[in-house]
Amino acid sequence: EVLLRMHSVGICGSDVHYWQHGRIGDFVVKNPMVLGHEASGTVVKVGSGVTHLKPGDRVAIEPGVPREMDEFCKTGRYNLSPTIFFCATPPDDGNLCRYYKHSASYCYKLPDNVTFEEGALIEPLSVGIHACRRAGVTLGSKVFVSGSGPIGLVNLLVAKMMGAAAVVITDLSASRLEKAKEVGADFTLQVKNETPQEVAAKVESLLGCMPEITVECTGVQACIQAGIYATRSGGTLVLVGLGSEMVTVPIVNAAVREVDIRGIFRYCNTWPVAIALLASKRIDIKPLVTHRFPLEKALEAFETTRRGEGVKVMLKCDPTDHNP
């Protein structure tokens, strides 16, 4: 294990949800819990067996650590391990604090040209990498991203990076779609009160064809329905956003058109890839951060996220550091 002095911690929708509602699905907050799972910091101390890190190293933290080497770990899909430790998922404490202890194997050294803030953004970026891998995005793909929050935006960034020829992104909010344009969306579509079929038709007319791949980042029933209708026959729909447990969808439409519906659970094997992309400047994730607060103003930061202002809110945990 290593002891870290925390630096940058991003606030995620799930953090806000636990704070407001005390549960997400089967994960219920029963005791006080530290939030935060999008984080970077500096190594202060290392355990006796740790060889790849030393005090002073700047690291990004992968929040999910398997507790045992089970069949899922053996096949490289450790995110599915049922006993996994995960920051800020009850009952496991997160890392929105000054000092934090974590498994050394899940702390990744940041190159000098990758900032702490970018290091903290690797967590949401990883969702995009994992989802686009599961979707099979490749050279020339036409992609429909549903939802233009932080997760919609990282999927947009990664899809473009993986060779997508055109990406259309939808949202209710004009300002979020502006941000999507800024980070590389080819087409944006502000959804008002169209039916799912109408949304699908608009996506097709913008792209000039039906997308082979749809990445659904809202979890809203109507959006999942639109995702099925929009996806080209033989294509893939990846469900990233989580809403209510039971959802009514046109499953027969998907079945008879051989549209594959895939889910994702967090991510695995993404940190080294993300660091390589950030270090080589192949991907620019900095525009996602719109607000910054010191740890003392955590409540204000959480309120900002809850109100849906900006995109990504970042907390600074190190009072001695005054860099943005």
Side-chain angles (χ1 to χ4, degrees), residues 96-109:
L96 182 48
C97 47
R98 299 253 188 246
Y99 289 90
Y100 174 74
K101 185 174 74 157
H102 200 67
S103 163
S105 312
Y106 293 80
C107 294
Y108 299 83
K109 195 170 178 331

Side-chain angles (χ1 to χ4, degrees), residues 190-254:
Q190 189 174 3
V191 179
K192 298 215 162 65
N193 43 18
E194 296 89 340
T195 66
Q197 286 98 330
E198 285 166 348
V199 171
K202 286 189 171 183
V203 166
E204 180 177 6
S205 79
L206 284 171
L207 284 172
C209 61
M210 293 172 83
E212 301 105 322
I213 289 161
T214 299
V215 185
E216 208 301 298
C217 303
T218 71
V220 175
Q221 178 170 289
C223 299
I224 300 172
Q225 292 170 353
I228 289 176
Y229 292 130
T231 308
R232 184 186 307 181
S233 298
T236 304
L237 166 65
V238 177
L239 301 177
V240 182
L242 301 175
S244 55
E245 189 183 2
M246 288 294 172
V247 184
T248 304
V249 293
I251 200 84
V252 175
N253 176 289

Side-chain angles (χ1 to χ4, degrees), residues 137-143 159-160 162-167 186-187 207:
V137 178
T138 187
L139 214 53
S141 296
K142 303 284 203 321
V143 180
K160 297 286 287 186
M162 288 172 80
V167 180
D186 297 282
F187 306 100
L207 284 172

